[in-house]
Amino acid sequence: MVFEMIARKIVHIDMDAFYASVEQRDDPQLRGKPVVVACVGIARWCALLRMKREGSASVPPCPLFVPNVCALYATFLPPDFPRYRAVSRQVREIFKRHTDLIEPLSLDEAYLDVSENKTGLPTATQVARTIREQIRSELSLTASAGVAPNKFLAKIARTGKNRMGSLSYNRKKSIRFYCPLPVEPPARSRQSHGRKTEAP
């Protein structure tokens, strides 16, 4: 018996600013304005910061990092998870048109194995582009995509997406990209974990 190895094609899809984008899509008055979907505690802290600017309140330390300029000028909204879950299911239905091999990571993020896609598109890059176009045209939302031979590189490709919203690494390109990288976490991870995880 002969088994033929099929090169894996993984797409990492991440919705752009998912909660805030859903709110802006559904409320035209929010479009073009900074919107923050946050818990009550953060919204209350930002309201105190605004009052402090007017000299009428003292502000305790913020439990999370919130830029002052954002706190002063953004519109803060409480999360509406039933609505976000409903939109997430609509996004998932678009994924299912192309593959049944879907690994959800959250409401707004998933890995798709499109090594053999349902639509017969010749490349994973075209699958990712088609998914992004369908999300934009049908749901009025945007998504970023990364394409690579494995999940790790697909996520890196999505993080380093170009201005078109997607980035692809084939096997040769993956090796050229991966080998020169330092043994240290990405910049975003260093911000949260410090330098303890860096190589000596």
Side-chain angles (χ1 to χ4, degrees):
M1 184 179 294
V2 178
F3 295 93
E4 184 178 353
M5 295 294 292
I6 300 176
R8 295 186 69 198
K9 301 174 183 178
I10 306 298
V11 178
H12 178 236
I13 299 283
D14 192 2
M15 302 297 293
D16 299 332
F18 182 54
Y19 297 168
S21 295
V22 171
E23 297 290 348
Q24 290 178 319
R25 182 197 67 174
D26 296 344
D27 186 350
Q29 294 183 347
L30 296 175
R31 295 173 190 171
K33 299 178 181 179
V35 173
V36 178
V37 177
C39 63
V40 174
I42 297 300
R44 183 179 296 119
W45 180 88
C46 293
L48 288 173
L49 184 63
R50 293 169 181 162
M51 293 172 67
K52 179 184 177 182
R53 194 183 187 202
E54 299 171 357
S56 58
S58 59
V59 182
C62 181
L64 293 175
F65 172 74
V66 179
N68 286 0
V69 65
C70 179
L72 290 171
Y73 300 107
T75 298
F76 283 77
L77 301 172
D80 185 351
F81 287 110
R83 182 150 52 108
Y84 306 149
R85 282 191 286 268
V87 177
S88 180
R89 286 192 292 270
Q90 293 176 318
V91 174
R92 195 78 48 82
E93 289 302 315
I94 292 176
F95 294 163
K96 290 179 180 178
R97 299 175 194 170
H98 301 270
T99 180
D100 293 322
L101 301 178
I102 303 169
E103 181 183 344
L105 301 177
S106 61
L107 292 179
D108 64 338
E109 187 177 5
Y111 288 114
L112 285 65
D113 188 331
V114 296
S115 304
E116 294 182 338
N117 70 83
K118 293 180 177 180
T119 52
L121 292 171
T123 68
T125 301
Q126 287 181 264
V127 174
R129 184 182 301 118
T130 301
I131 289 173
R132 293 180 59 247
E133 290 173 351
Q134 290 172 340
I135 290 172
R136 183 175 61 250
S137 63
E138 298 176 26
L139 304 179
S140 299
L141 298 170
T142 60
S144 304
V147 181
N150 59 56
K151 292 189 291 186
F152 173 70
L153 288 176
K155 189 174 182 69
I156 290 179
R158 203 280 309 164
T159 304
K161 67 185 183 302
N162 58 26
R163 64 181 180 177
M164 299 304 292
S166 63
L167 188 62
S168 301
Y169 291 141
N170 57 29
R171 286 188 174 184
K172 291 183 179 179
K173 190 175 180 181
S174 298
I175 294 173
R176 290 198 303 268
F177 167 82
Y178 187 65
C179 288
L181 289 179
V183 185
E184 62 182 23
R188 184 179 300 178
S189 178
R190 286 201 302 272
Q191 292 176 2
S192 58
H193 298 292
R195 298 191 173 274
K196 293 181 180 179
T197 54
E198 291 186 7

